[in-house]
Amino acid sequence: MKVPDPEYDHELHITAGLIRATIPANLIEGFSQVSGISERDFQNCSPTSSGEISAIDGSHFIMLESGSTALAILRAAQTTYWDMKRFRRSLTPLKFALIGPETENQIFPELYRSCFGQVPGTPLANDDKSRAAAILRDTLEYWVTEQMATELNTGALLLRDGPLRVSHASHDPVLIRIVDTCKERDIDLVGVSKRTTSTWGGGHPLLLSVGGLAKSLQIRPPWWIRINPSILDRSQFPQWQHGQMFIVCLHPRAKSPLKVELPRDLPLVQIEEIMNRLVSCSGDGRIPGYPFPLFDAHRTVTLTKEVVDQVRNDLVTGLVESGLDRQTYDILFGDYHNEFARY
């Protein structure tokens, strides 16, 4: 039986109220008025021949961490389909990245040079270890994406897990090259995001609002709509933004709408064709409404517990062979929480 705890209940009530406040009762009505979106703005789409579709995703995991240093592992993957039959899949070698103790990351210039043949224009700071690991992973993702942009056939669809926007200045020229290469080779570049930080009206969630408005207008999926950035609260890193935003719902049983970004200034007929092809690859019964090649890339690249445990064991063995004793290892990377959990 639960023991009454007034302070806990009060905190829980306050927190639930704060979350609920971002979703007011008149959310859909308010969004309709602020955005000016009406039924005619939603565009229907239907399956077509999917053709060649390639999807890229990356993964990273911080394996060891001390007060001044962390060790991350990272990799990226691509899976390529033709009419929803996979004929190509590859993984980059697993990379080890030491983050710290220096102010600037020492691995980043080496990794960047090995991927793109030059040093990055902007160094990577080590102050935020999680962010540094994500930027290092992004480097591999952009490398694989640029490779695929040069290797795919004309007319292919190239999907990226994430927006057409970089999070570090050094990646901006790379993304610009990718966009330009895809345009020159008639390859459709698409950024697909399961979540978005985009809000309107002072913090109201965009995906929920657009999906709710479509439902209230009885718009039947699959559909897509272009989003005017002027209705948003803010644009994250606008100087590094290379896409225009759409919200899409690609299947009647989709768990949620998705944010899709396409290069700017595409003609309507090309946008419609891209959306139809996305529908054609988003009908898998396990995750209806999400492009299956991206799901497959995610499954391919994920650093599972088995992979992490194996790498950790191999690393500890390597440290022992290098002459590092157990006590030194525990001082550097030991976690008292692991000991606490034993008792």
Side-chain angles (χ1 to χ4, degrees), residues 138-155:
D138 286 348
T139 303
L140 287 181
E141 283 191 47
Y142 284 119
W143 175 53
V144 175
T145 304
E146 187 168 31
Q147 284 185 313
M148 298 310 296
T150 62
E151 296 175 10
L152 293 172
N153 294 302
T154 295

Side-chain angles (χ1 to χ4, degrees), residues 54-72:
S54 186
I56 288 90
D57 198 4
S59 183
H60 74 274
F61 184 83
I62 296 181
M63 289 198 55
L64 301 174
E65 188 169 8
S66 69
S68 60
T69 306
L71 177 68

Side-chain angles (χ1 to χ4, degrees), residues 246-304:
F246 300 82
I247 302 299
V248 305
C249 185
L250 299 174
H251 194 278
R253 292 190 290 111
K255 180 179 180 180
S256 169
L258 303 172
K259 184 185 78 169
V260 163
E261 292 187 9
L262 305 179
R264 299 188 182 102
D265 302 322
L266 295 184
L268 178 60
V269 63
Q270 189 173 356
I271 295 172
E272 292 175 336
E273 177 65 18
I274 291 171
M275 298 303 182
N276 290 342
R277 293 176 71 184
L278 288 176
V279 171
S280 71
C281 67
S282 301
D284 184 81
R286 290 165 289 184
I287 45 160
Y290 188 76
F292 185 80
L294 271 176
F295 174 53
D296 190 33
H298 171 80
R299 292 192 304 173
T300 300
V301 80
T302 296
L303 293 164
T304 63

Side-chain angles (χ1 to χ4, degrees), residues 31-32 34-38 40-43 193 196-201 204-214 223-235 241 243-249 257-265 268 271 275:
F31 179 66
S32 177
V34 170
S35 68
I37 293 175
S38 65
R40 66 178 180 272
D41 296 305
F42 288 88
Q43 308 297 318
S193 301
T196 175
T197 58
S198 298
T199 58
W200 67 275
H204 303 315
L206 180 65
L207 286 182
L208 184 65
S209 302
V210 176
L213 181 57
W223 51 258
W224 62 270
I225 184 171
R226 193 194 310 255
I227 299 298
N228 187 333
S230 66
I231 71 174
L232 303 178
D233 290 331
R234 64 184 177 87
S235 178
Q241 178 69 51
Q244 55 181 327
M245 183 190 299
F246 300 82
I247 302 299
V248 305
C249 185
L258 303 172
K259 184 185 78 169
V260 163
E261 292 187 9
L262 305 179
R264 299 188 182 102
D265 302 322
L268 178 60
I271 295 172
M275 298 303 182

Side-chain angles (χ1 to χ4, degrees), residues 156-228:
L157 199 62
L158 180 54
L159 308 182
R160 179 179 187 272
D161 182 31
L164 299 186
R165 168 186 52 76
V166 303
S167 300
H168 192 267
S170 64
H171 291 150
D172 198 47
V174 179
L175 181 54
I176 291 173
R177 286 202 309 267
I178 292 169
V179 172
D180 290 344
T181 299
C182 287
K183 184 177 181 180
E184 292 168 2
R185 303 192 65 242
D186 193 23
I187 292 170
D188 291 322
L189 178 65
V190 183
V192 179
S193 301
K194 298 177 285 297
R195 296 180 179 180
T196 175
T197 58
S198 298
T199 58
W200 67 275
H204 303 315
L206 180 65
L207 286 182
L208 184 65
S209 302
V210 176
L213 181 57
K215 187 175 181 179
S216 72
L217 294 173
Q218 298 183 333
I219 308 296
R220 300 182 62 182
W223 51 258
W224 62 270
I225 184 171
R226 193 194 310 255
I227 299 298
N228 187 333

